[in-house]
Amino acid sequence: MSKPATIASSRPHSGFLRLRSVSLRFALVYGTLFISSAVLFLSFIWWGTVGLLEHRVEQAITTDSRALMNIWAEGGPTGLSMIIDDRLEQDIDDNALYLLVNKDNKWVAGNLAEWPQQIACNNHWFTMPVQRSYTQDMAKVRAYALPDGYRLLIGRDISGRTLLRKIVTDTLLWACLMVTLLAIGGGWLVRRLFRHVIHSISRTTQAITRGDMSRRMPVQGSDDELDEIALTINEMLERISRLMDGVRQVSNAIAHDLRTPITRARTQLEDAALHAKNEDELRAVIEQAVGNLDNVTSICEALLRIAQIESGARRSAFVLFDLIPALRDVCELYEAVADELGLTFVQHLPDHLRFFGDRAMFQQAVANLMDNAIKFSPPNGTITLSAKVLSTARRADGSFGKQLSLSVADEGIGMSDADMARASERFFRAEQARNTPGSGLGLALVQAIVQLHDGQLQLASNSPGLIARIEVPLPDTEIVPLTQPIAGIH
Amino acid sequence: MPLMPSPEPVVITSDSVAFCFRLSRVIETYNKGTLPYTVRQLQEEGTDLCRQGLVRSGLIRLRRAIITLKGTTP
Ligand SMILES: Nc1ncnc2c1ncn2[C@@H]1O[C@H](COP(=O)(O)OP(=O)(O)OP(=O)(O)O)[C@@H](O)[C@H]1O
Ligand SMILES: [Mg+2]
């Protein structure tokens, strides 16, 4: 068991921002995913509007330049000047910019006052300011070198597009801001949700680690995955605490049941040592003490035996045998006892019954049941031992086949339902059985033996009395050779 | 797309009253005397607007007149 100090120190500090916290990582992943998909989406919109418009302008200028080059090739500077004038006269959109200058940088045609110095004929796009009558606009231009030192500048006033671009860009920036806020909010929510779940689990498990086994996970009743986890964990806890109770009870019982005879033997020996007057008295006391210590030994043996049987190691000693003579041997032993106590003993047994199992152990199981029946019967009661074959019964493992049903019924004090449920626990003894001798291991041993034979032990009320029934599957004769012990595999 | 390092705006000359009159002259010299009614209407309106200082509105009307006259579509 770990000390509380180590538990506390191994727990991470619960600061607000813990980078190693899973919930924060979850929230970050959520936020990143959300923002990146939003950025992708928004840049697609930007590209689809502003990018497209800019591309259109560039395309228009390029097409225009090709046409004008052709004109130049046919008509030279004069032809080009005329066409430029024409274009300007018919430019209904009022956004075209043209300028043709000669090699002395003198104006030849166009609607720009002079050649802007910074613009060279180098296949680049330029954005430059232009002065209109009242406003200053932006223009996108490109310059082309012509033969004889002539230069041509073609452009478009893009202030209208600039406005649109500003609107779109502003909108996108705002959208980005909103998306970021949403992502942060969403991430925070996800984190809270996650923390809530994790914390309720860890709170419960921590409480359990500190020893509070009664704590359970809260179940919301919404029937979702979280509830499923909670229910599973609760079920697990339930089972663990049941098992722990069992272990605790068994160890308590072992301590108690072993202490009683040991203490008794000790007291007897001490008493004898102090007060015994002669050797005979001493001998008698020592014998009693030996008897008590034998009792301890037999309890230990029984416990070891149950453990050994439960481990399944004895299965290698299974053989095919006739169960009826084996049962009669047991009956013989108990008939005498029953007679002595004035009990009637009835047997309903078939002539032969092929059985596959451990002969001595099965006899032990039946003997334990008979022992109980005799022990808890009133005088003049009847004890019935019966065995029959159920031809196509549903076995414990779900398959169908022949099955032995062996029962020992008495008319004694019986048991309550609650006691029946616990009767096969080690050291369990009902309240009414406190005055009878025994250590509460008899039915535990029966249960272990029956389970080793893939069977079931059932207790039922006989009103008055109790019926203990063993149901064990019988072999299919064809498969297993008769009286041939299965070679032990160790 | 390199931006202008020193943005010294270049004057657009087609944005002036003088250009208005030039367009108006172009219309008149195109087909003397027999201007269609709509063209004349547009020309008069345009010139008036230019005189009042509304150059861009005037220019739009004058250009429309020219386009109509030349039978070209924008
Ligand atoms: N035939 C029965 N009638 C009434 N109660 C019974 C009967 N068989 C068992 N019990 C109850 O079940 C308890 C457990 O039985 P079990 O055989 O395991 O222990 P025990 O008989 O008390 O001791 P042991 O068998 O070890 O000598 C008994 O103490 C008794 O309370
Ligand atoms: Mg018993």
Side-chain angles (χ1 to χ4, degrees):
Chain A
M1 272 219 215
S2 44
K3 284 164 258 152
T6 42
I7 294 163
S9 65
S10 68
R11 268 189 56 204
H13 349 275
S14 47
F16 176 64
L17 277 183
R18 221 191 313 148
L19 262 178
R20 285 171 61 190
S21 109
V22 182
S23 55
L24 186 66
R25 246 179 292 156
F26 234 66
L28 282 179
V29 166
Y30 169 83
T32 319
L33 220 77
F34 192 72
I35 286 181
S36 51
S37 52
V39 162
L40 208 80
F41 179 67
L42 292 181
S43 40
F44 183 76
I45 292 183
W46 202 89
W47 180 78
T49 53
V50 175
L52 197 73
L53 283 176
E54 292 210 339
H55 187 66
R56 283 266 170 84
V57 169
E58 288 173 6
Q59 224 172 14
I61 292 177
T62 313
T63 324
D64 209 9
S65 75
R66 274 199 208 113
L68 293 182
M69 294 293 184
N70 287 340
I71 304 279
W72 170 273
E74 285 168 19
T78 0
L80 189 57
S81 301
M82 275 170 61
I83 290 296
I84 288 176
D85 283 349
D86 258 20
R87 295 246 161 124
L88 287 176
E89 279 160 17
Q90 296 171 40
D91 175 29
I92 199 102
D93 294 334
D94 198 23
N95 63 0
L97 299 175
Y98 294 101
L99 178 62
L100 178 68
V101 293
N102 62 15
K103 64 173 186 295
D104 303 325
N105 208 16
K106 284 268 150 40
W107 183 91
V108 178
N111 59 346
L112 285 180
E114 57 187 351
W115 186 275
Q117 261 142 35
Q118 296 81 359
I119 291 179
C121 307
N122 59 359
N123 263 346
H124 277 312
W125 291 104
F126 293 92
T127 306
M128 63 171 208
V130 284
Q131 185 65 53
R132 284 193 173 273
S133 46
Y134 296 107
T135 55
Q136 187 174 320
D137 288 354
M138 292 306 285
K140 184 156 223 188
V141 301
R142 194 163 180 178
Y144 300 89
L146 297 173
D148 301 334
Y150 280 88
R151 283 180 294 161
L152 174 64
L153 189 134
I154 306 175
R156 292 284 183 275
D157 186 331
I158 54 168
S159 49
R161 291 178 171 102
T162 315
L163 192 72
L164 181 80
R165 180 183 158 149
K166 189 172 147 41
I167 291 173
V168 172
T169 313
D170 277 5
T171 312
L172 292 193
L173 279 178
W174 276 108
C176 271
L177 192 80
M178 299 305 268
V179 162
T180 311
L181 286 181
L182 275 176
I184 292 172
W188 180 77
L189 232 119
V190 167
R191 178 160 186 247
R192 252 186 65 126
L193 212 81
F194 200 76
R195 269 170 80 116
H196 175 75
V197 176
I198 297 290
H199 273 205
S200 79
I201 294 180
S202 72
R203 258 201 312 277
T204 312
T205 43
Q206 272 166 26
I208 291 164
T209 321
R210 282 194 292 271
D212 181 4
M213 274 302 279
S214 64
R215 279 290 282 271
R216 292 293 176 268
M217 298 274 304
V219 177
Q220 249 78 46
S222 51
D223 210 18
D224 54 8
E225 290 90 339
L226 301 182
D227 265 9
E228 218 172 280
I229 293 181
L231 284 175
T232 314
I233 292 181
N234 286 350
E235 219 168 90
M236 183 183 84
L237 292 175
E238 206 71 52
R239 222 180 116 77
I240 290 177
S241 56
R242 254 203 324 271
L243 289 174
M244 270 172 60
D245 276 353
V247 170
R248 192 177 304 135
Q249 190 203 327
V250 167
S251 46
N252 283 349
I254 291 177
H256 179 262
D257 280 66
L258 292 186
R259 206 182 61 185
T260 315
I262 293 175
T263 316
R264 207 176 289 144
R266 186 188 176 283
T267 324
Q268 285 162 347
L269 289 173
E270 195 178 40
D271 203 41
L274 292 176
H275 307 296
K277 298 195 179 62
N278 53 39
E279 201 186 313
D280 285 345
E281 237 178 84
L282 208 57
R283 250 180 231 290
V285 170
I286 287 175
E287 248 163 52
Q288 271 180 3
V290 166
N292 274 317
L293 292 176
D294 279 350
N295 202 0
V296 173
T297 319
S298 69
I299 288 177
C300 288
E301 260 168 17
L303 278 172
L304 283 174
R305 206 140 168 227
I306 294 171
Q308 191 199 19
I309 293 169
E310 279 178 345
S311 76
R314 293 288 301 254
R315 206 185 288 259
S316 54
F318 276 19
V319 288
L320 256 186
F321 63 93
D322 193 346
L323 188 64
I324 303 307
L327 288 181
R328 289 209 197 284
D329 283 353
V330 180
C331 290
E332 235 169 69
L333 278 175
Y334 284 95
E335 254 166 0
V337 187
D339 256 6
E340 219 167 86
L341 293 170
L343 298 168
T344 319
F345 190 32
V346 185
Q347 302 172 30
H348 296 299
L349 298 176
D351 292 339
H352 293 285
L353 210 161
R354 296 160 62 84
F355 190 77
F356 183 66
D358 188 312
R359 190 174 197 270
M361 260 184 346
F362 208 80
Q363 281 180 316
Q364 173 75 68
V366 177
N368 280 9
L369 294 182
M370 303 271 272
D371 182 68
N372 282 351
I374 290 171
K375 200 156 62 180
F376 297 108
S377 277
N380 307 321
T382 308
I383 294 170
T384 317
L385 170 72
S386 56
K388 57 176 182 267
V389 177
L390 310 174
S391 52
T392 49
R394 197 188 166 85
R395 288 169 180 170
D397 62 359
S399 66
F400 286 88
K402 282 209 288 185
Q403 186 167 298
L404 164 70
S405 171
L406 187 146
S407 63
V408 179
D410 64 60
E411 295 172 343
I413 56 172
M415 291 172 86
S416 71
D417 284 345
D419 285 349
M420 274 184 216
R422 297 191 52 200
S424 56
E425 285 174 14
R426 266 161 255 205
F427 295 111
F428 174 80
R429 310 197 68 210
E431 211 50 55
Q432 306 100 291
R434 292 277 177 236
N435 314 327
T436 55
S439 50
L441 290 172
L443 285 180
L445 188 64
V446 174
Q447 169 93 340
I449 292 171
V450 171
Q451 270 175 3
L452 183 73
H453 288 82
D454 294 326
Q456 273 179 310
L457 168 68
Q458 290 164 350
L459 298 178
S461 186
N462 195 25
S463 48
L466 187 88
I467 305 178
R469 181 175 294 115
I470 294 173
E471 290 190 342
V472 181
L474 288 172
D476 301 316
T477 355
E478 297 79 43
I479 299 168
V480 189
L482 195 69
T483 57
Q484 182 86 69
I486 302 264
I489 304 156
H490 301 287
Chain B
M1 176 165 54
L3 271 164
M4 292 285 295
S6 61
E8 187 61 40
V10 181
V11 178
I12 297 181
T13 52
S14 64
D15 219 16
S16 56
V17 185
F19 194 70
C20 273
F21 293 146
R22 194 184 125 192
L23 291 187
S24 185
R25 251 191 332 276
V26 167
I27 297 169
E28 264 152 29
T29 52
Y30 189 77
N31 200 353
K32 287 177 196 86
T34 58
L35 286 177
Y37 174 73
T38 41
V39 174
R40 181 158 296 280
Q41 187 88 8
L42 279 169
Q43 185 210 1
E44 271 166 18
E45 271 179 31
T47 326
D48 277 354
L49 282 168
C50 282
R51 280 208 192 91
Q52 286 162 29
L54 301 165
V55 180
R56 296 189 87 168
S57 317
L59 280 175
I60 290 178
R61 280 171 179 72
L62 288 170
R63 278 176 168 141
R64 204 165 279 155
I66 292 178
I67 289 167
T68 322
L69 209 52
K70 295 194 173 178
T72 44
T73 40

